[in-house]
Amino acid sequence: MKKSRSVKTARIDMARTTQQVFQALAAAPRRAILQHLAASGLTAGEISSRFDMAKPSVSQHLTILETAGLISREKRGQFVHYALVRDMLDKVLVGFVEELGAAGSQTPPPAKTKPARPAGVDNAKPRKVAEIETENAEAETGEARAKPAPAQMSMF
């Protein structure tokens, strides 16, 4: 019983982590921060200087990335250094692709499509035979019934 609980807990934790990672990757500034950190570790000031936004905003983005496990921070003297955690990013993205592969390995049912109409046939809504016969009779006699005007809608 304990083993099944730990497996369930691990799945829930992984789902939560995956959700946090994708949420962190959803914002363009955070993806740009990750690109800068992929080249080398940077201090908070160095990261902030590369963006045209307030330092508290950059700090908030760094916190979201750190909470998702995508970056690590290390205090060295008076500076905070940030680095990319490639393992977490790889783990989540590979896991996600594997989930898609498992779900995508089954052949989906064929899509239901409407049969194409032959060339020359208009795409008008199908009409009843009686309507067509009435129109043909009116056209032969030259007498067309006046069609009632559509009711106007009131906004009040």
Side-chain angles (χ1 to χ4, degrees):
M1 191 71 159
K2 284 186 178 182
K3 189 173 187 176
S4 66
R5 282 187 184 173
S6 65
V7 170
K8 278 186 176 180
T9 305
R11 284 186 191 152
I12 291 170
D13 289 344
M14 188 59 188
R16 186 176 299 128
T17 301
T18 302
Q19 180 68 25
Q20 288 176 332
V21 167
F22 280 106
Q23 189 173 11
L25 294 174
R30 292 193 282 269
R31 291 191 305 269
I33 290 170
L34 291 175
Q35 286 177 335
H36 291 302
L37 292 175
S40 68
L42 299 169
T43 65
E46 291 170 334
I47 294 169
S48 181
S49 69
R50 296 173 187 224
F51 293 93
D52 187 26
M53 68 174 76
K55 287 184 181 185
S57 296
V58 173
S59 177
Q60 184 178 12
H61 287 301
L62 290 169
T63 301
I64 291 169
L65 289 168
E66 186 179 8
T67 302
L70 294 174
I71 62 173
S72 64
R73 81 189 237 155
E74 181 184 346
K75 180 104 170 150
R76 294 186 210 154
Q78 61 181 345
F79 298 103
V80 177
H81 292 262
Y82 290 92
L84 179 64
V85 179
R86 291 183 191 274
D87 293 343
M88 177 58 81
L89 187 59
D90 290 343
K91 178 180 169 184
V92 169
L93 294 179
V94 167
F96 179 70
V97 170
E98 286 176 355
E99 281 182 31
L100 289 179
S105 64
Q106 300 169 353
T107 306
K112 294 181 181 179
T113 59
K114 293 182 180 179
R117 291 185 178 222
V121 177
D122 64 349
N123 289 330
K125 159 176 123 174
R127 300 182 292 168
K128 295 179 183 175
V129 174
E131 290 176 2
I132 296 171
E133 288 175 354
T134 304
E135 284 181 11
N136 289 341
E138 290 171 356
E140 286 176 6
T141 61
E143 297 176 12
R145 291 187 309 183
K147 294 183 180 178
Q152 291 182 350
M153 293 177 42
S154 174
M155 295 181 71
F156 301 99

